[in-house]
Amino acid sequence: MKKKQILLINDMAGYGKVATAAMLPILSYMGHPTYNLPTALVSNTLDYGKFNILETTEYIKGVFPVWRELGFSFDAIATGFMASETQARIIAAYCREQAENGTVVYVDPIMGDEGKLYNGVTDEAIKSMREMVSVAHLVFPNYTEACYLTDSQYDAAGVTAEGARRLLDSLLKLGTKSALITSIRVDGQPSVVGYNHVNGEYFTQPYTEIPVHFPGTGDIFSAVLIGYLLGGKELKPSTRKAMDVVYKLIDLNKDNTDKNRGIPLEKYLDVL
């Protein structure tokens, strides 16, 4: 089967395996021709507490006309961190245009975690991320992001199975065809919940937490998930595979001294 071409629209860290730096090696290893458009250049993972960031909106404004003129197209686009509301609007318009020509759009609405927005994420940014969700074939926020996108109340204790389904339905109302919610406690059990529009199935995939923190694990999850979806696998088994890979990689690296740089993926690509 011919491998699918995918464009990653996300930030690029100079030091650390997060965002594009984490996703590109995984998707390439899985055989998909992978291209990238950085939304921002970041000196290092934010977990170090000090960083330098360069927003690339002006650069992006000049890229899309060139790509249109050259006739470039992609089978899929995966979006992540948006550096500004203006940038999100430009990228959403491009994704909508490409989707009309058959491109599948995956959206990771990176905005916050553990009930809080990341520093610098504004109400306008939430609105612009909703616009990204409106053009998505599949969106996969974490529990915090799902609550902000849908104006739902965040509860640190999690939700019931019925509450998880309501939250998924609220995401679908924003325009996405299918949806996942990661890092959500369902009846006390850490889980990923989902809805697959292809077969109308709601599902819950429980997992066991390893009590260590690595930046970039969400990006690893995204890349593995997308890699299997592009290979023709269904959403539920692709989700389980991505969860299992993340668990194994965390387990293999849980004793690393400097966790802030993320997981050194190149050593462990055979886990895929």
Side-chain angles (χ1 to χ4, degrees):
M1 190 173 93
K2 184 188 172 191
K3 290 293 185 178
K4 301 290 180 68
Q5 298 198 106
I6 180 164
L7 170 66
L8 304 179
I9 304 181
N10 208 339
D11 64 295
M12 174 64 87
Y15 188 92
K17 292 296 175 185
V18 298
T20 302
M23 296 180 72
L24 205 154
I26 291 171
L27 285 158
S28 296
Y29 181 84
M30 295 176 83
H32 300 292
T34 307
Y35 308 88
N36 73 90
L37 180 67
T39 56
L41 303 177
V42 190
S43 57
N44 46 268
T45 64
L46 309 188
D47 299 65
Y48 286 104
K50 184 180 286 188
F51 57 90
N52 186 42
I53 185 167
L54 174 67
E55 184 185 326
T56 59
T57 302
E58 290 305 310
Y59 165 73
I60 289 171
K61 284 179 183 176
V63 168
F64 290 147
V66 172
W67 284 1
R68 289 185 187 102
E69 190 176 333
L70 294 171
F72 293 166
S73 62
F74 307 94
D75 298 298
I77 297 173
T79 72
F81 173 75
M82 298 286 145
S84 69
E85 295 81 44
T86 301
Q87 188 182 85
R89 279 195 298 273
I90 295 166
I91 290 169
Y94 179 75
C95 287
R96 186 173 283 110
E97 172 190 305
Q98 294 300 302
E100 288 171 0
N101 296 320
T103 299
V104 178
V105 179
Y106 302 104
V107 173
D108 184 0
I110 299 169
M111 297 188 298
D113 202 1
E114 298 179 345
K116 301 185 295 292
L117 293 172
Y118 296 133
N119 286 340
V121 178
T122 63
D123 288 341
E124 282 302 311
I126 297 169
K127 287 180 194 168
S128 57
M129 199 57 86
R130 287 187 188 124
E131 187 172 352
M132 289 302 310
V133 175
S134 75
V135 304
H137 293 83
L138 171 65
V139 63
F140 31 93
N142 60 33
Y143 175 38
T144 297
E145 292 156 347
C147 288
Y148 275 102
L149 285 168
T150 61
D151 279 329
S152 302
Q153 184 67 40
Y154 175 89
D155 186 341
V159 297
T160 62
E162 183 184 341
R165 183 163 175 158
R166 277 200 306 270
L167 202 50
L168 284 166
D169 287 342
S170 295
L171 287 170
L172 299 176
K173 285 175 185 170
L174 295 176
T176 183
K177 292 182 171 63
S178 296
L180 297 175
I181 303 171
T182 64
S183 306
I184 184 170
R185 286 187 177 273
V186 180
D187 295 325
Q189 174 68 51
S191 304
V192 176
V193 298
Y195 171 77
N196 182 358
H197 82 280
V198 176
N199 57 12
E201 178 188 22
Y202 291 87
F203 59 86
T204 301
Q205 299 274 37
Y207 64 89
T208 302
E209 285 182 323
I210 301 174
V212 296
H213 171 72
F214 284 97
T217 51
D219 304 305
I220 294 169
F221 173 87
S222 302
V224 178
L225 171 73
I226 291 167
Y228 277 94
L229 291 171
L230 292 180
K233 299 286 189 291
E234 289 188 4
L235 181 58
K236 185 176 177 180
S238 296
T239 301
R240 185 77 252 175
K241 184 66 179 177
M243 293 166 68
D244 292 345
V245 166
V246 170
Y247 180 90
K248 190 164 186 183
L249 286 173
I250 293 173
D251 190 46
L252 286 167
N253 289 274
K254 62 180 182 287
D255 296 323
N256 291 9
T257 305
D258 184 4
K259 296 180 176 62
N260 289 337
R261 73 176 68 173
I263 291 170
L265 286 166
E266 289 80 359
K267 287 169 61 178
Y268 300 102
L269 288 171
D270 60 331
V271 168
L272 299 170

